[in-house]
Amino acid sequence: MTPLIHIIPILRDNYCFVLEGEQGKSIIIDPGEVLPVKSYISQYALTPVLILNTHHHPDHVAGNAELKAKYDIPIMGPKKEMQQILHLSSGLSEGDTVYQAGVKLAVMETPGHTKGHISFYCEAASALFCGDTLFSMGCGRLMGGTADELFESLQRIKSMPTDTKIFCAHEYTLDNGIFALHVEPTNTDIVNRLNEVRKLRTNNLPSIPVLLESELKTNPFLRETNADRFAQLRFQKDKF
Ligand SMILES: [Zn+2]
């Protein structure tokens, strides 16, 4: 079935996603904080059945233990980061399928930001939960993986259907857009997207999800076709 996707702003600029499937049963992705997730779930009378993690960073997993205990549910995350993520019930690898609450998610390994980073693709919703791999008009920093790995991960995302909705885990769009415009000063698609994002943020609305189609026109990291130039671009952004 096609889940209803809830976006919960947590911490300073993170998003936790809750996928509501059959009868309110829900999958929680990247709970980096407990309170806003817990209160959202009770407000919408959802029944959590599973926690998923994209990677091991605290702003994605800090709520694991408490939510696992509160709802008595398992946690699944990247097999390659099982050492770093406490409380994981089982590990996920490329090609695995998560099927819970009538919601089917395909597991993709998307290393680069971290060595074992995974993403979840829900074909029914045309939705990709890519954690800190790809951001709107930007991408994750190298914090364990290599530029080549991140480049390959983005190339893979690039080849997905253009109507894929990108649910990235941070609200970094405005800052990313300013860098994107610095890289491509004559790109009017970036100008238009920046204007749209400024309006959304002024109204305190998330700038995501964003269509892959839009990212293909506005994201310099996704548009770069050469691995070495991609690495330079990543370095340039770190210094920006
Ligand atoms: Zn991270």
Side-chain angles (χ1 to χ4, degrees), residues 122-175:
C122 177
E123 195 178 358
S126 296
L128 179 70
F129 301 91
C130 57
D132 291 355
T133 300
L134 175 71
F135 295 126
S136 183
M137 293 194 277
C139 70
R141 291 199 295 147
L142 303 176
M143 299 178 77
T146 66
D148 276 349
E149 285 172 332
L150 188 54
F151 177 73
E152 285 309 321
S153 295
L154 296 196
Q155 291 301 303
R156 252 189 102 185
I157 292 174
K158 203 170 170 173
S159 69
M160 296 176 77
T162 55
D163 64 351
T164 302
K165 298 181 202 81
I166 308 291
F167 288 84
C168 50
H170 282 277
E171 182 57 64
Y172 288 162
T173 316
L174 214 48
D175 280 353

Side-chain angles (χ1 to χ4, degrees), residues 37-232:
V37 177
K38 223 163 58 172
S39 56
Y40 190 98
I41 281 167
S42 88
Q43 187 187 344
Y44 288 88
L46 302 172
T47 309
V49 292
L50 175 68
I51 294 169
L52 294 176
N53 293 145
T54 58
H55 65 295
H56 70 86
H57 287 155
D59 57 325
H60 298 255
V61 306
N64 274 5
E66 201 173 325
L67 295 171
K68 176 183 183 164
K70 177 171 171 61
Y71 301 114
D72 191 22
I73 54 177
I75 306 172
M76 298 169 103
K79 193 169 192 171
K80 289 178 179 164
E81 295 186 0
M82 285 194 82
Q83 304 285 341
Q84 290 119 307
I85 307 178
L86 304 172
H87 317 289
L88 267 199
S89 317
S90 54
L92 297 166
S93 306
E94 177 69 36
D96 284 346
T97 301
V98 175
Y99 189 59
Q100 278 287 334
V103 178
K104 202 191 268 186
L105 298 168
V107 176
M108 293 166 62
E109 289 185 1
T110 51
H113 173 64
T114 63
K115 206 83 192 153
H117 195 297
I118 57 173
S119 297
F120 302 99
Y121 178 54
C122 177
E123 195 178 358
S126 296
L128 179 70
F129 301 91
C130 57
D132 291 355
T133 300
L134 175 71
F135 295 126
S136 183
M137 293 194 277
C139 70
R141 291 199 295 147
L142 303 176
M143 299 178 77
T146 66
D148 276 349
E149 285 172 332
L150 188 54
F151 177 73
E152 285 309 321
S153 295
L154 296 196
Q155 291 301 303
R156 252 189 102 185
I157 292 174
K158 203 170 170 173
S159 69
M160 296 176 77
T162 55
D163 64 351
T164 302
K165 298 181 202 81
I166 308 291
F167 288 84
C168 50
H170 282 277
E171 182 57 64
Y172 288 162
T173 316
L174 214 48
D175 280 353
N176 286 339
I178 291 163
F179 177 73
L181 197 59
H182 170 75
V183 175
E184 297 187 41
T186 58
N187 184 331
T188 52
D189 290 311
I190 296 177
V191 174
N192 294 338
R193 169 79 173 136
L194 258 176
N195 287 336
E196 173 192 300
V197 172
R198 282 202 178 96
K199 265 181 222 152
L200 289 167
R201 297 307 297 149
T202 303
N203 294 306
N204 209 21
L205 292 169
S207 65
I208 57 145
V210 58
L211 284 179
L212 179 58
E213 189 181 12
S214 164
E215 288 301 300
L216 293 172
K217 293 177 191 159
T218 60
N219 189 328
F221 293 95
L222 210 51
R223 290 160 67 73
E224 185 52 71
T225 53
N226 175 283
D228 293 331
R229 283 200 305 263
F230 172 82
Q232 281 165 22

